[in-house]
Amino acid sequence: MAAQTKQKLGDILLQTKKITEAQLQTVLKNQRITGKRLGEQLIEDNILMEDTIIDVLEVQLGIPRAYLDLMQIDIQAVRSVPQSLCEKYLLVPVEINKEIEKITVAMSDPLNIFAIEDIRIATGYEVDPMIASKDEIRKVIDRYYSSQNVQRVVDELATEGDQKDAITGNIESEEDFDEVKNAPVVKLIDSIIGNAAKAGASDIHIEPFEDYVKVRYRIDGELQEVLKTPKRNMMALVARIKILASLNIAEKRIPQDGRILTKAEGKAVDLRVSILPTVNGEKVVIRILKRDGFLVGRQQLGLPTEEMDKLLRIMSNPHGVILITGPTGSGKSTTLYTVLSDLNKSNTNIITVEDPVEYTMDGINQVSVNVKAGLTFAAGLRSILRQDPDIIMIGEIRDGETAEIAVRAAITGHLVLSTIHTNDAPSTIFRLVDMGIEPFLAATAIVGVIAQRLVRRICPNCKEEYKAGDHEKKILGVEAEKSLTLYKGRGCTNCNSTGYKGRIGVYEIMEIDRNIRGGIMDGINADELRDLAIKNGMYTLRSYASRLVREGITTLDELIKVAYVKE
């Protein structure tokens, strides 16, 4: 291997006829100007793809390819090589064998003898190189070294003395600023928030227990533990968060809510902070709202053609109430903003009243609820009606007064969009009736109800098929004697060994037509309304999720979570 690694990449590509001599000379000329490596220059000049270079090196030199997304990385190997070295040469240690004193390293350039020599000096082991793509290497560096950095800061915090100035940020000079910025508690909070944003977390939980503090991220709807730190660090962590959120640092007996505007990965994020006193101390939950995370294209909602047609018909109504329903974290806000974006035209006056405004949109007048000042949903809605609106969006219908004003606005010629908390689409009608809306008014005003949930997608990197058992066939309504292939994720580094990566919506769209309107006016119950909607072509949450399971997009476990199946 040592003799092979001295070969030049250009010579190998010429031998394998992947490039011509003229192309090589052109690339070498450009390389002298840019100072980039030959492989990088070939890719930049659109002469070769990275995968082509990897394939050539794998075959010609016998250097195996490392598919890092599918490999288990040895944490001891990671700890043996400094992060600076990995970033300098774009490599990552994969496995260490102390018995034969050899370390396996995935490299973007396995011909780089300087990189190999530096690793040998740093670890004291002989290097067994593998080749991997740059993107995969960067992902592993980001994932493994960021968690190491957090643990290092925790250790610093444990040995640090007085943290008072760093917590409160008493800055009187530039030197004070640097000292505060580099204080362990400040670095730890920055790392926790930064890593959460990189991991795509929606919430951060900092939870005190008797002897330790646990930090968990909610990723794709599931909580994952990322850190444990000694209990003595809790007061410093909470105090720092309170200062950033402009909360009362001395008050520890009552719940507090605040907000932090910051940047993560170069993008603006809005952090909503909730602090709750518990028997073991104050628990902190931080919700991460990415400013660009709410607005997606209509096609990205994942609706099949027939359901998309239903949504477009509902949206095309000139007046009426469109309601989006589901539990917290089911994607209601994303759907609401997507619909609102489609309706946003230069000849339309759109006004919203929200608590709080989660995403600011050009061309739309947005009002934020301020209960302390007396600006509630109902009060804001009354004022909005005097502003000559065409379309009104209410963040949430929480009480009878707001519901009544919304219904009256729809009847008088406005299109009203809002969210409400119910379990499915048909029960939304009866929730409004419970709030005091007459059935005939609800039937007249409402034009469509969209119930939704989010299920996790199977990780594409470790997706595998299996034959469904009798129990699974029964849940999906398939006869026992028929063969059924389902899919699941095996678990890999790409999905943090969960088997899932990303989420997709599950929808139940009830279009209010003449038959359903008549049924509501006749006083039918929720079950009868559901049957009537299904007869009219409504997919239930369960039938929609079942289709995603059969198509290999999600798993049966996810279906059961959103649509419980009784034995």
Side-chain angles (χ1 to χ4, degrees):
M1 182 66 69
Q4 287 177 322
T5 55
K6 290 179 182 178
Q7 286 187 258
K8 291 183 179 179
L9 177 60
D11 293 338
I12 295 170
L13 293 172
L14 282 174
Q15 290 168 16
T16 55
K17 298 182 179 179
K18 295 295 181 184
I19 59 173
T20 64
E21 181 65 41
Q23 286 176 321
L24 178 60
Q25 293 305 319
T26 301
V27 171
L28 289 172
K29 183 181 178 182
N30 293 339
Q31 185 192 18
R32 283 192 288 272
I33 297 169
T34 63
K36 293 183 178 180
R37 291 179 183 147
L38 182 63
E40 291 176 344
Q41 196 65 51
L42 283 163
I43 296 166
E44 187 176 296
D45 292 347
N46 294 318
I47 292 174
L48 289 177
M49 301 287 287
E50 184 181 18
D51 277 347
T52 304
I53 297 173
I54 291 174
D55 290 341
V56 168
L57 293 176
E58 185 178 13
V59 173
Q60 291 298 113
L61 302 181
I63 298 175
R65 179 167 186 175
Y67 294 92
L68 295 176
D69 286 343
L70 304 176
M71 296 175 70
Q72 291 295 331
I73 306 297
D74 183 355
I75 194 65
Q76 295 300 324
V78 172
R79 287 173 180 164
S80 67
V81 179
Q83 182 178 354
S84 57
L85 207 59
C86 293
E87 290 174 342
K88 179 182 178 182
Y89 294 116
L90 212 54
L91 54 85
V92 66
V94 173
E95 187 180 19
I96 197 165
N97 190 326
K98 293 182 180 179
E99 292 182 6
I100 60 173
E101 297 185 342
K102 185 172 280 189
I103 184 169
T104 303
V105 180
M107 309 173 67
S108 62
D109 181 9
L111 300 177
N112 191 331
I113 56 175
F114 299 107
I116 291 172
E117 183 63 18
D118 281 356
I119 296 169
R120 190 185 65 77
I121 292 170
T123 62
Y125 295 144
E126 289 300 317
V127 177
D128 188 10
M130 298 180 77
I131 186 167
S133 74
K134 293 175 183 176
D135 285 343
E136 288 183 5
I137 290 172
R138 288 191 185 102
K139 282 181 187 176
V140 174
I141 291 173
D142 198 41
R143 183 180 298 121
Y144 284 89
Y145 283 98
S146 61
S147 59
Q148 271 198 36
N149 291 339
V150 171
Q151 190 57 53
R152 193 178 301 116
V153 172
V154 170
D155 295 339
E156 285 180 28
L157 186 58
T159 58
E160 193 76 11
D162 185 11
Q163 285 286 318
K164 186 176 178 182
D165 286 343
I167 293 167
T168 57
N170 293 332
I171 303 170
E172 296 179 359
S173 66
E174 194 172 322
E175 290 78 11
D176 289 340
F177 177 79
D178 290 336
E179 188 177 334
V180 168
K181 189 172 66 174
N182 294 313
V185 67
V186 176
K187 288 196 288 185
L188 182 55
I189 293 297
D190 289 348
S191 297
I192 288 172
I193 293 171
N195 288 350
K198 286 177 186 175
S202 60
D203 300 86
I204 303 169
H205 290 239
I206 303 175
E207 303 164 305
F209 294 95
E210 193 171 345
D211 301 316
Y212 60 89
V213 176
K214 183 190 292 183
V215 179
R216 296 191 290 176
Y217 296 160
R218 189 176 292 281
I219 301 172
D220 293 337
E222 297 288 318
L223 283 171
Q224 297 178 19
E225 185 178 323
V226 295
L227 178 67
K228 271 187 181 178
T229 178
K231 181 70 176 289
R232 62 179 176 270
N233 297 332
M234 188 63 190
M235 285 183 65
L237 291 174
V238 175
R240 180 62 187 171
I241 291 168
K242 282 182 177 180
I243 292 297
L244 292 173
S246 301
L247 300 176
N248 186 350
I249 194 171
E251 182 57 74
K252 298 181 173 67
R253 299 164 299 172
I254 60 173
Q256 296 188 68
D257 295 315
R259 182 182 182 188
I260 303 170
L261 295 175
T262 186
K263 282 193 172 184
E265 294 194 289
K267 294 182 180 179
V269 292
D270 194 347
L271 307 177
R272 303 297 164 86
V273 179
S274 172
I275 297 178
L276 179 72
T278 70
V279 292
N280 291 309
E282 293 177 287
K283 176 184 174 179
V284 181
V285 174
I286 303 172
R287 169 148 286 193
I288 303 173
L289 302 175
K290 293 183 180 178
R291 295 292 183 85
D292 58 352
F294 286 101
L295 195 59
V296 299
R298 202 190 321 130
Q299 299 302 325
Q300 289 176 272
L301 294 176
L303 287 164
T305 305
E306 63 270 28
E307 294 299 280
M308 182 63 77
D309 290 342
K310 267 190 212 174
L311 179 62
L312 291 173
R313 283 198 300 271
I314 291 170
M315 288 168 54
S316 65
N317 281 280
H319 52 78
V321 179
I322 300 173
L323 292 173
I324 301 171
T325 180
T328 302
S330 60
K332 297 190 300 297
S333 295
T334 299
T335 302
L336 195 59
Y337 279 115
T338 300
V339 171
L340 208 57
S341 176
D342 270 11
L343 296 171
N344 186 13
K345 304 288 190 296
S346 60
N347 61 348
T348 305
N349 180 23
I350 301 177
I351 307 178
T352 77
V353 54
E354 306 170 60
D355 183 21
V357 173
E358 297 182 35
Y359 176 79
T360 53
M361 300 179 70
D362 288 336
I364 294 179
N365 304 285
Q366 295 172 272
V367 178
S368 186
V369 165
N370 188 338
V371 177
K372 290 180 181 178
L375 180 55
T376 61
F377 277 118
L381 197 46
R382 283 195 208 93
S383 297
I384 284 173
L385 289 171
R386 293 191 287 270
Q387 289 282 319
D388 185 31
D390 296 301
I391 298 171
I392 300 167
M393 192 271 268
I394 310 165
E396 184 183 343
I397 293 178
R398 295 177 179 172
D399 52 58
E401 187 181 6
T402 307
E404 185 178 353
I405 298 170
V407 168
R408 296 286 179 187
I411 291 171
T412 54
H414 302 90
L415 185 63
V416 181
L417 287 77
S418 189
T419 68
I420 192 168
H421 286 284
T422 58
N423 289 327
D424 55 24
S427 63
T428 303
I429 306 297
F430 300 95
R431 173 77 177 122
L432 290 174
V433 172
D434 286 342
M435 286 180 170
I437 304 300
E438 293 292 339
F440 76 90
L441 281 176
T444 305
I446 298 170
V447 295
V449 182
I450 304 163
Q452 73 177 79
R453 302 288 190 277
L454 290 175
V455 294
R456 293 182 291 172
R457 290 177 180 267
I458 299 171
C459 174
N461 280 348
C462 59
K463 183 177 179 179
E464 60 184 17
E465 62 180 45
Y466 68 98
K467 294 296 179 184
D470 291 342
H471 175 66
E472 292 163 319
K473 290 177 186 176
K474 182 180 176 183
I475 291 174
L476 293 170
V478 177
E479 295 175 12
E481 60 272 14
K482 287 189 176 179
S483 177
L484 177 64
T485 300
L486 297 179
Y487 299 85
K488 63 181 179 180
R490 185 177 60 254
C492 63
T493 56
N494 186 55
C495 60
N496 202 22
S497 300
T498 61
Y500 298 96
K501 188 72 174 177
R503 289 192 287 179
I504 188 171
V506 174
Y507 301 93
E508 183 176 276
I509 302 178
M510 186 173 74
E511 194 176 4
I512 309 297
D513 62 7
R514 182 180 300 174
N515 293 332
I516 291 178
R517 191 174 292 115
I520 296 169
M521 288 182 174
D522 290 340
I524 62 175
N525 61 37
D527 290 334
E528 290 170 331
L529 181 59
R530 167 174 286 277
D531 292 340
L532 184 58
I534 292 170
K535 186 179 177 182
N536 280 10
M538 181 186 81
Y539 279 103
T540 64
L541 290 170
R542 180 181 172 182
S543 61
Y544 195 108
S546 296
R547 180 162 61 177
L548 295 180
V549 172
R550 289 166 176 268
E551 291 173 357
I553 295 170
T554 190
T555 64
L556 202 65
D557 288 341
E558 291 295 295
L559 181 152
I560 293 169
K561 283 181 186 177
V562 301
Y564 174 67
V565 182
K566 189 176 180 181
E567 293 294 338

